[in-house]
């Protein structure tokens, strides 16, 4: 078989090669929401160590629920049951497994294995951000409580409860293309833009929060260079030329970006009002600046 014939056959087998309109329409229809997200005032609002601690106290819930979306995709695209059966789309299986490898068992700045949640919690402790809210929630989930109940019993703010609850519901009940679209446009495609904006606009010197800097920069690197393109390919393969799947995926993407904007609105309100100020804030700040 000639190389030119092989290339034509490859293009014919690729679901989106013959339908570039779908990718273009996603970009067009999501443009305004994506702009609103990247230009959100939250990135200017983190100007002190106390504000960083309060930001992290809530943002850790988004770090946690990310993995349920990723695991939902892994369950749908690979075989995680016994006896093992070959996945129907081995290309997508490889793509999601590569993403899971980094997210669930990446390396910290010393080269030790660590999930991204572990990296984030370590960064929180490094700057003195309280983890009690998240620890209380996770402890209840470990004991078997439903996520909604655990969020409420732990005293998580309602706006953060809504964000996490909607993501977990989608991960459990959503179609695979809805989960993949939310994962791509609400996370892998948006996170590098959000984190670059945060690093560019916040008022925290790098040497005061090295763990958080490592976490943000590691996500920017992985999501922009590897996970974003991989998640795009997964969604392309799932949608193909199916207009119903395209419509569901687009709606899911819009809902995911809107939910993140609402989460940032809630965090910004807390920072602006002084809610959740850390009792240890002044003491830690004094140590850091001396």
């Amino acid at each position: 078989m000639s190389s030119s014939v092989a290339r034509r056959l490859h293009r014919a087998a690729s679901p989106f090669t013959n339908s570039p309109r779908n990718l273009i329409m996603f970009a067009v229809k999501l443009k305004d929401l994506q702009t609103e997200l990247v230009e959100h005032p939250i990135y200017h609002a983190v100007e002190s160590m106390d504000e960083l601690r309060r930001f992290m106290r809530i943002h850790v819930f988004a770090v946690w629920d990310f993995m349920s979306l990723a695991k939902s995709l892994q369950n749908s695209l690979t075989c995680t049951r016994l006896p093992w059966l070959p996945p129907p789309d081995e290309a997508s299986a490889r793509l999601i497994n590569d993403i899971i490898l980094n997210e669930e068992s990446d390396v910290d700045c010393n080269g030790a294995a660590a999930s991204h949640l572990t990296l984030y919690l370590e960064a929180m402790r490094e700057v003195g951000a309280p983890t009690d809210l998240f620890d209380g929630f996770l402890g209840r989930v470990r004991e078997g409580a439903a996520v909604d109940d655990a969020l409420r019993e732990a005293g998580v703010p309602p706006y953060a409860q809504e964000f996490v609850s909607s993501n977990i519901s989608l991960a459990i009940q959503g179609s695979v293309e809805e989960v993949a679209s939310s994962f791509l446009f609400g996370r892998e495609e948006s996170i590098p833009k959000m984190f670059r904006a945060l690093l560019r606009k916040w008022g925290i010197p790098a040497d005061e929060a090295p763990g958080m800097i490592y976490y943000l920069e590691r996500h920017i690197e992985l999501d922009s260079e590897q996970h974003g393109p991989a998640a795009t390919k997964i969604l392309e393969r799932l949608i193909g030329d199916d207009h119903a799947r395209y419509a569901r995926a687009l709606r899911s993407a819009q809902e995911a970006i809107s939910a993140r904007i609402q989460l940032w609105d809630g965090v910004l309100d807390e920072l602006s009002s002084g809610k959740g100020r850390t009792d240890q804030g002044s003491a830690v700040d004094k140590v850091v600046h001396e």
Side-chain angles (χ1 to χ4, degrees), residues 57 133 140 150-158 161:
R57 180 173 178 263
L133 186 67
R140 287 171 171 82
L151 289 166
R152 185 179 62 257
E153 292 167 5
V156 176
Q161 289 188 40

Side-chain angles (χ1 to χ4, degrees), residues 160-224:
Q161 289 188 40
E162 182 178 353
F163 180 83
V164 174
S165 179
S166 64
N167 285 316
I168 298 302
S169 177
L170 175 65
I172 295 172
Q173 301 175 6
S175 68
V176 63
E177 66 271 11
E178 288 173 327
V179 176
S181 186
S182 177
F183 184 74
L184 170 59
F185 292 107
R187 305 297 176 118
E188 300 292 18
E189 199 269 345
S190 295
I191 283 174
K193 298 174 183 177
M194 291 189 295
F195 285 2
R196 285 193 185 103
L198 183 60
L199 286 172
R200 186 171 63 250
K201 297 176 182 179
W202 74 350
I204 309 298
D207 60 352
E208 293 188 8
M212 183 61 165
I213 297 290
Y214 177 82
Y215 172 86
L216 295 173
E217 291 183 341
R218 182 64 174 155
H219 255 292
I220 291 170
E221 174 190 0
L222 286 173
D223 292 350
S224 60

Side-chain angles (χ1 to χ4, degrees), residues 64-257:
W64 175 80
D65 76 5
F66 169 94
M67 281 304 301
S68 289
L69 294 171
K71 284 295 186 177
S72 175
L73 284 177
Q74 189 179 41
N75 288 341
S76 295
L77 299 174
T78 73
C79 182
T80 57
R81 298 177 300 276
L82 296 176
W84 178 83
L85 294 171
D89 182 355
E90 291 176 330
S92 291
R94 179 180 177 88
L95 290 168
I96 190 59
N97 281 337
D98 282 345
I99 292 173
I100 293 291
L101 173 64
N102 287 133
E103 298 290 348
E104 194 170 35
S105 53
D106 201 5
V107 294
D108 63 17
C109 57
N110 297 314
S115 70
H116 284 187
L117 176 63
T118 295
L119 292 179
Y120 200 87
L121 289 170
E122 290 176 350
M124 289 180 71
R125 297 182 186 106
E126 180 181 71
V127 300
T131 63
D132 56 320
L133 186 67
F134 179 75
D135 292 340
F137 158 75
L138 193 61
R140 287 171 171 82
V141 174
R142 289 188 189 279
E143 293 170 358
V147 169
D148 287 352
D149 293 339
L151 289 166
R152 185 179 62 257
E153 292 167 5
V156 176
Y159 68 88
Q161 289 188 40
E162 182 178 353
F163 180 83
V164 174
S165 179
S166 64
N167 285 316
I168 298 302
S169 177
L170 175 65
I172 295 172
Q173 301 175 6
S175 68
V176 63
E177 66 271 11
E178 288 173 327
V179 176
S181 186
S182 177
F183 184 74
L184 170 59
F185 292 107
R187 305 297 176 118
E188 300 292 18
E189 199 269 345
S190 295
I191 283 174
K193 298 174 183 177
M194 291 189 295
F195 285 2
R196 285 193 185 103
L198 183 60
L199 286 172
R200 186 171 63 250
K201 297 176 182 179
W202 74 350
I204 309 298
D207 60 352
E208 293 188 8
M212 183 61 165
I213 297 290
Y214 177 82
Y215 172 86
L216 295 173
E217 291 183 341
R218 182 64 174 155
H219 255 292
I220 291 170
E221 174 190 0
L222 286 173
D223 292 350
S224 60
E225 297 177 9
Q226 299 177 36
H227 296 178
T232 299
K233 290 177 182 177
I234 290 172
L235 184 61
E236 290 174 351
R237 298 177 72 86
L238 286 170
I239 293 177
D241 293 315
D242 190 314
H243 294 286
R245 284 193 167 198
Y246 166 78
R248 287 193 294 269
L250 177 60
R251 183 175 61 251
S252 183
Q254 292 168 330
E255 290 172 354
I257 299 172

Side-chain angles (χ1 to χ4, degrees), residues 17-28:
T17 300
N18 297 323
S19 303
R21 178 186 64 82
N22 285 336
L23 289 179
I24 295 172
M25 289 305 293
F26 266 104
V28 170

Side-chain angles (χ1 to χ4, degrees), residues 40-53:
H40 198 283
I42 187 66
Y43 311 118
H44 286 289
V46 183
E47 298 181 330
S48 69
M49 292 299 290
D50 182 70
E51 287 164 339
L52 175 60
R53 295 183 195 107

